[in-house]
Amino acid sequence: MKPIKVLITGAAGRVGMPLVYRVSAGDLFGLQQPVELQLLEIESMLPNLEGEVMELRDCAFPLLKDVTITSDLETAFGDIDVAFMVGASPRKKGMERKDLLEANGKIFPAQGKALNDFADKDVKVIMVGNPANTNALIVSKNAPDISPKQITSMSRLDHNRALSMLAQKTNAYVSDIKRVAIWGNHSPTQYPDLSHAIVHGKRALDLVGDDWYRDTFITGVQNRGTEILKHLGVSSSISAAICTIKHFKSWHYGTNNGDWVSKGVYSMDNPYGIDEELFFSFPVICDEFGISIVENLKIDDFSMQMIKATEKELIAERDVVKHLL
Ligand code: NAX
């Protein structure tokens, strides 16, 4: 079977490395499909990455056909089928994600061009590096031959945080919960929305009450990353790698279980009146035709206010990087 080529940028980092192991172990495409890894790092990290890859090879993963380590964009992006774009600086203590815009934004015009020129034309792209939504926009604008529908930003970690928090509150299993949604930016303005959520077939908001929803749940999900940073002094890593895999699998295999997931997607033609030139997290379903935003949801006034606040932040982020688009 022909190996699938997977690019992981920032491969030596705290999110990149667990991702490297999971992809090598067959977590993406199952236990029959070989994979080839193309790992991109900045030059100064290559010796470190070489050591990491020695360890990786020592695992003798049966599906791992080949590993390339490089800081060269043409080599890294050449013929790739999947791109996990993780390489960027993480948020440090006291920093908000918007502070990262300046530092990280400039990485992505060149990577967008390399994606355009060297990747397989059907490549699927997942932007993880922050600020993920706006970085995805920069990549997309610099890759005019790749459809924006093939580029996504990750809000799956926020989605799973919301699922887990609701499961704990209602003493349910995560698998009992459906129709949680994350709207907008992967940042503290995101709107984790329970207004359509169901637990064991019952309306979630009837089980948890409005006060918990507004005062504990929403702020809890919005600020979870900051809380983890406070405790660990570094941002999430294993959970982010696992959610990156989940994001890809729901896209590749589909969401045919009557539920939806949240993904940052290009907002053109969206049914909720959001600015049409953003990567914005919506509830989506995935099937053989690709990713579609869930339509016809009734958006109450509170939800619309929350959605507009996160839209405003994304528009402001876009303004800051407009010279890179
Ligand atoms: P680390 O600092 O551990 O790793 C980042 C790696 O990227 C480093 O090894 C660095 O050398 C490399 N890198 C930097 N510039 C690069 C470039 N131009 N080309 C290739 N590689 C480059 O950070 P880590 O904790 O792994 O976080 C990586 C990114 O993911 C950060 O931007 C972080 O904010 C973001 N995150 C996004 C999440 C999401 O849900 N969307 C959650 C997890 C994570 O915080």
Side-chain angles (χ1 to χ4, degrees):
M1 208 185 278
K2 190 172 163 250
I4 293 181
K5 287 195 179 196
V6 179
L7 163 68
I8 300 176
T9 74
R14 295 184 69 256
V15 178
M17 196 36 65
L19 201 50
V20 164
Y21 275 88
R22 291 203 153 239
V23 174
S24 303
D27 279 12
L28 268 192
F29 299 108
L31 298 178
Q32 304 297 326
Q33 174 61 57
V35 288
E36 253 179 64
L37 290 180
Q38 298 185 183
L39 306 181
L40 180 72
E41 258 298 345
I42 52 173
E43 188 113 21
S44 60
M45 287 300 286
L46 291 180
N48 176 291
L49 186 56
E50 237 165 77
E52 298 278 9
V53 168
M54 288 165 76
E55 263 211 83
L56 178 74
R57 290 189 196 280
D58 293 350
C59 296
F61 286 117
L63 297 169
L64 185 58
K65 176 69 179 42
D66 209 353
V67 186
T68 304
I69 297 172
T70 185
S71 58
D72 172 64
L73 293 182
E74 179 171 352
T75 310
F77 283 83
D79 298 324
I80 48 164
D81 302 294
V82 182
F84 291 119
M85 300 186 73
V86 184
S89 295
R91 192 164 33 132
K92 310 266 174 1
K93 252 185 178 169
M95 227 176 161
E96 277 305 331
R97 283 177 59 269
K98 67 179 176 346
D99 302 328
L100 285 180
L101 260 175
E102 202 133 315
N104 285 344
K106 56 180 184 256
I107 296 173
F108 293 102
Q111 294 195 2
K113 286 186 186 81
L115 181 79
N116 193 68
D117 294 348
F118 307 123
D120 185 278
K121 288 302 165 218
D122 293 323
V123 64
K124 284 187 166 95
V125 179
I126 294 109
M127 176 60 73
V128 177
N130 277 322
N133 302 55
T134 298
N135 290 340
L137 183 67
I138 298 172
V139 166
S140 179
K141 291 294 178 187
N142 285 279
D145 302 332
I146 304 289
S147 164
K149 289 180 187 296
Q150 292 167 234
I151 298 172
T152 58
S153 64
M154 188 169 86
S155 48
R156 182 59 183 259
L157 181 55
D158 309 298
H159 185 96
N160 281 18
R161 286 168 174 167
L163 282 176
S164 171
M165 207 175 286
L166 180 60
Q168 271 183 280
K169 174 71 178 171
T170 56
N171 197 23
Y173 287 99
V174 162
S175 53
D176 297 329
I177 299 175
K178 292 199 182 341
R179 303 190 175 202
V180 163
I182 304 293
W183 299 84
N185 204 357
H186 168 65
S187 83
T189 69
Q190 66 176 269
Y191 174 40
D193 179 8
L194 291 187
S195 57
H196 313 282
I198 289 167
V199 184
H200 264 315
K202 294 193 183 112
R203 202 171 159 263
L205 288 183
D206 291 341
L207 299 174
V208 300
D210 266 1
D211 287 349
W212 181 81
Y213 174 47
R214 293 190 185 196
D215 301 339
T216 304
F217 173 80
I218 292 177
T219 51
V221 177
Q222 288 174 327
N223 296 308
R224 182 72 165 182
T226 311
E227 278 300 305
I228 287 175
L229 192 60
K230 263 191 218 156
H231 282 269
L232 298 179
V234 286
S235 55
S236 318
S237 60
I238 304 280
S239 59
I242 287 174
C243 287
T244 305
I245 299 275
K246 284 179 183 284
H247 173 120
F248 179 83
K249 285 179 87 169
S250 60
W251 187 1
H252 187 73
Y253 294 106
T255 51
N256 49 3
N257 60 353
D259 196 6
W260 63 51
V261 289
S262 304
K263 292 192 198 304
V265 296
Y266 194 52
S267 57
M268 184 176 279
D269 295 330
N270 75 84
Y272 297 103
I274 303 299
D275 182 292
E276 302 219 340
E277 219 184 353
L278 297 173
F279 275 79
F280 195 91
S281 178
F282 290 99
V284 300
I285 53 169
C286 308
D287 56 23
E288 66 271 33
F289 304 109
I291 302 176
S292 326
I293 297 170
V294 176
E295 296 190 349
N296 299 320
L297 294 175
K298 198 171 168 303
I299 309 293
D300 61 28
D301 290 347
F302 173 75
S303 298
M304 189 47 84
Q305 204 183 319
M306 299 294 289
I307 289 170
K308 285 289 163 194
T310 191
E311 178 194 31
K312 189 172 162 199
E313 183 184 52
L314 279 169
I315 292 171
E317 287 189 9
R318 184 181 62 199
D319 286 347
V320 174
V321 301
K322 60 177 182 289
H323 57 293
L324 303 175
L325 302 177

